[in-house]
């Protein structure tokens, strides 16, 4: 299979197109608005499978860890293309406001240690010493190794790398599958419309995200990614290199609606003020909403659908994290090689098995 | 004086330029970004001097009432120019959450009655019958006659009327006063930089404003302007003809900073959810901040500064309301006529008297 069509120009589609083009294939990417048009442009950029993992999602964690291991090489290869994807290892501080939160941090710390990852439980005072701008917290968990990527730099870098390798961009919405030897469906929340086997299996999960900047006289942003759960809602603050702070993430089932809601903005700001009080005087520079591609079990759909058509979608909140392993999987399918560990569990074949409990 | 320079292209400058051009004068208006560049573009558009008046501001109320009386004629003349300024008489509902608020509504009702204005005190239940979307309130005050204007339609209408009358627009920032027989300074918060007698007398008063729209399935916006004080902060919701809802208004002393802050947005949304809970599911379509021109005593500066130079600035939160009386005053000065009642108190001569207590 020497020519490939990729449907979708978010982080998955661009990564697949670039890696496939590097193997000498002729790649065409279809997207009405690549790079900026989808959920990837609005992501937080945390590459932290463990602190992101939810109980019962072991397959997600395994695939996330597999992809995380590939991230440094992926970033290095991108830099060789002449563009820096903005990978940073500033680590994560997870904070607890009450005893339930603290209990969760104990479990998380145990889990990280069992994986051989460094992770340190901190008292409230120690957490405040590490990150002086945080509010009054009960305790914390410091995960020094955690990576984050500047999602916008990454997308710009992937686009440039695609251009380097003669990927052709067709800026149109795909109504029926393109004519090519192989087709990869990576259209995020919209992928369900492209193939009958994915209909109903991929659903939009709305997320709102804010960007803020310190005004003159404000405390600078935290130096770590800071995460917490405030009134039952997870929240994260991810610092960017240019003093910008990305604040997320709401998660709703709201169909294909991409409106930024009053409630979403208010809840994010309230939560963030609890975690990092100085943010109240920051400038609010951007409010946006995007649609993640949700699957039935939080694991993506990676694999063959039928003759030459492959799914690479349903990445949920893990699109940026899982881009390297997804791109490597696609190249393995095309080359007839063994696909990366953890991808077998993500096969769309599971859609025809019993529904997950 | 047959040629006139107007510095400032907000509601005051445009109104002055239009009215003066109608008298046959040759008018040049200076503004780097007329119409959209200043506070007028971000206003709520309430024309309600009484419900806006604060205790001790009798001169402001008198001038506001004088201008309010001129508003219907002003709007009619604008419509004759072929453009509708979006004047609406949907009335105001002021709501009280506690006994202190309720006491204030009693005083306001008495004041309106003493002025011969219709105003009806309502129980919480009656207020909810009038405006079913409001939250749980203790009582209300309905002011059926209150006017509001769509500030953006108004500015567009004034601009078109100026063009009809050959007003010349110079899209530059004025560094030194233009050479003309008469010069009117109407540059809002920036006017203090233009004349030594106004230096320090006009100061920026920052205000943040949000625009929202109901999403599918949402309760439509209120049919009245709804005002309240929530946790000591005044808030208003003004419905626009196109289902848009304008939400204001914060007020800070923050120099010339025009950043939208996290705190301002959060406080406005929190307050609005208390007043009109359905807003929580609305789409947040715009966040913006502008600088009102504050004076020392909330009354504008209207009158001669020195040879041929006039002040028409410092309108505080009353720029839209007072545009008609201000424009009529300028024309009277130029023609040597008696200026409108209430304008004498606004003379900049008071700047050289004792500071107000």
């Amino acid at each position: 299979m020497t020519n490939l069509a990729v449907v979708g120009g978010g982080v998955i589609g661009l990564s697949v197109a670039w890696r496939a083009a590097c193997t000498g294939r002729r790649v065409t990417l279809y997207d009405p608005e690549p790079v900026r048009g989808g959920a990837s442009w609005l992501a937080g950029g945390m590459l932290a499978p463990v602190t992101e993992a939810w109980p019962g999602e072991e397959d997600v964690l395994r695939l996330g860890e597999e992809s995380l291991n590939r991230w440094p090489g992926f970033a290095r290869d991108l830099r060789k293309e002449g563009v820096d994807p903005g990978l940073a290892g500033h680590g994560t501080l997870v904070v607890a406001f009450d005893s339930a939160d603290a209990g969760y941090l104990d479990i998380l710390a145990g889990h990280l240690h069992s994986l051989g990852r460094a992770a340190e439980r901190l008292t409230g005072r120690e957490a405040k010493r590490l990150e002086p701008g945080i509010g009054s917290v009960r305790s914390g968990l410091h995960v020094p190794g955690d990576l984050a990527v500047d999602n916008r730099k990454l997308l710009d870098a992937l686009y440039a790398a695609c251009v380097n390798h003669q990927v052709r961009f067709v800026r149109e919405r795909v109504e029926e599958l393109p004519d090519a030897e192989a087709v990869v469906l990576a259209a995020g929340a919209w992928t369900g419309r492209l193939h009958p086997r994915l209909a109903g299996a991929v659903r939009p999960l709305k997320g709102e995200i804010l960007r803020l900047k310190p005004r003159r006289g404000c405390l600078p942003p935290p130096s770590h990614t800071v995460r917490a759960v405030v009134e039952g809602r997870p929240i994260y603050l991810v610092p960017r290199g240019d003093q910008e702070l990305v604040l997320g993430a709401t998660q709703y089932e709201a169909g294909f609606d991409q409106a930024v809601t009053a409630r979403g903005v208010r809840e994010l700001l309230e939560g963030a003020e609890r975690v990092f009080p100085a943010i109240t005087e920051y400038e609010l520079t951007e409010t946006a909403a995007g649609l993640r591609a949700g699957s039935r079990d939080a694991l993506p759909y990676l694999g063959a659908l039928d003759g030459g058509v492959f799914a690479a979608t349903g990445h949920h909140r893990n699109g940026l994290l899982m881009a390297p392993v997804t791109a490597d999987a696609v190249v393995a399918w095309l080359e007839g090689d063994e696909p990366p560990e953890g991808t077998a569990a993500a096969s769309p074949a599971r859609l025809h098995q019993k529904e997950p409990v």
Side-chain angles (χ1 to χ4, degrees), chain A:
Chain A
M1 295 190 278
T2 61
N3 78 66
L4 173 70
V6 177
V7 183
V11 68
I12 299 296
L14 290 166
S15 297
V16 166
W18 167 51
R19 289 298 212 187
C22 288
T23 65
R25 288 181 168 75
R26 286 178 41 214
V27 181
T28 306
L29 188 147
Y30 298 80
D31 195 311
E33 192 187 357
V35 179
R36 290 175 179 247
S40 309
W41 188 252
L42 302 174
M46 291 167 297
L47 307 177
V50 178
T51 44
E52 279 273 18
W54 289 4
E57 295 180 352
E58 282 69 27
D59 286 340
V60 180
L61 178 61
R62 202 166 303 123
L63 190 59
E65 287 279 321
E66 182 63 37
S67 198
L68 183 66
N69 294 336
R70 290 163 193 259
W71 247 105
F74 189 80
R76 194 169 48 240
D77 291 349
L78 265 178
R79 279 191 293 268
K80 276 188 213 149
E81 300 279 356
V83 273
D84 182 358
L87 186 64
H90 50 227
T92 302
L93 173 65
V94 195
V95 297
F97 288 107
D98 58 30
S99 61
D101 296 350
Y104 167 71
L105 295 196
D106 288 336
I107 294 166
L108 202 54
H111 197 121
L112 284 158
H113 290 145
S114 75
L115 292 164
R117 293 279 305 276
E120 192 187 0
R121 280 293 269 130
L122 305 176
T123 64
R125 189 174 299 194
E126 288 166 339
K128 221 164 153 64
R129 208 172 302 139
L130 185 70
E131 199 61 83
I134 59 170
S136 178
V137 304
R138 185 186 172 102
S139 64
L141 175 68
H142 181 211
V143 189
D146 266 357
L147 297 179
V149 66
D150 182 326
N151 61 317
R152 296 186 176 178
K153 278 192 186 164
L154 170 64
L155 289 164
D156 285 339
L158 285 168
Y159 181 80
C162 283
V163 170
N164 287 352
H165 292 272
Q166 282 84 46
V167 172
R168 192 167 70 92
F169 284 85
V170 177
R171 288 164 200 268
E172 288 169 13
R173 185 169 304 285
V174 165
E175 303 291 346
E176 55 187 67
L177 293 195
D179 190 26
E181 285 170 282
V183 180
V184 174
L185 303 181
W190 289 268
T191 314
R193 297 174 175 180
L194 295 172
H195 198 281
R197 281 186 59 197
L198 294 176
V202 183
R203 69 188 196 287
L205 279 177
K206 182 175 171 178
E208 282 151 321
I209 202 159
L210 310 182
R211 289 186 171 235
L212 300 105
K213 273 196 171 168
R215 289 154 68 223
R216 202 154 45 97
C218 286
L219 206 66
S223 52
H224 302 76
T225 292
V226 182
R227 304 178 55 104
V229 177
V230 179
E231 289 176 22
R233 299 187 299 267
I235 191 165
Y236 56 76
L237 292 83
V238 190
R240 292 281 188 253
D242 52 359
Q243 288 264 322
E244 205 168 33
L245 190 57
V246 179
L247 171 59
T250 57
Q251 187 162 312
Y252 314 99
E253 306 265 352
F256 282 90
D257 171 49
Q258 288 191 72
V260 175
T261 65
R263 179 203 299 268
V265 174
R266 197 251 303 143
E267 286 181 352
L268 284 172
L269 292 176
E270 277 177 2
E273 287 186 32
R274 183 103 188 268
V275 174
F276 185 74
I279 207 172
T280 193
E281 297 302 335
Y282 274 40
E283 177 173 5
L284 178 63
T285 55
E286 188 177 329
T287 63
L291 300 175
R292 304 178 191 89
S295 70
R296 290 199 183 142
D297 50 9
L299 196 64
Y301 301 116
L302 304 180
L305 293 166
D306 49 34
V309 180
F310 300 89
T313 188
H315 288 77
H316 214 265
R317 55 187 188 277
N318 298 310
L320 273 81
L321 171 64
M322 293 185 182
V325 79
T326 301
D328 288 350
V330 170
V331 169
W333 306 332
L334 299 177
E335 302 270 333
D337 291 343
E338 186 69 26
E341 214 169 313
T343 54
S347 165
R350 74 188 188 279
L351 284 168
H352 297 271
Q353 295 161 359
K354 203 166 144 289
E355 292 278 307
V357 185

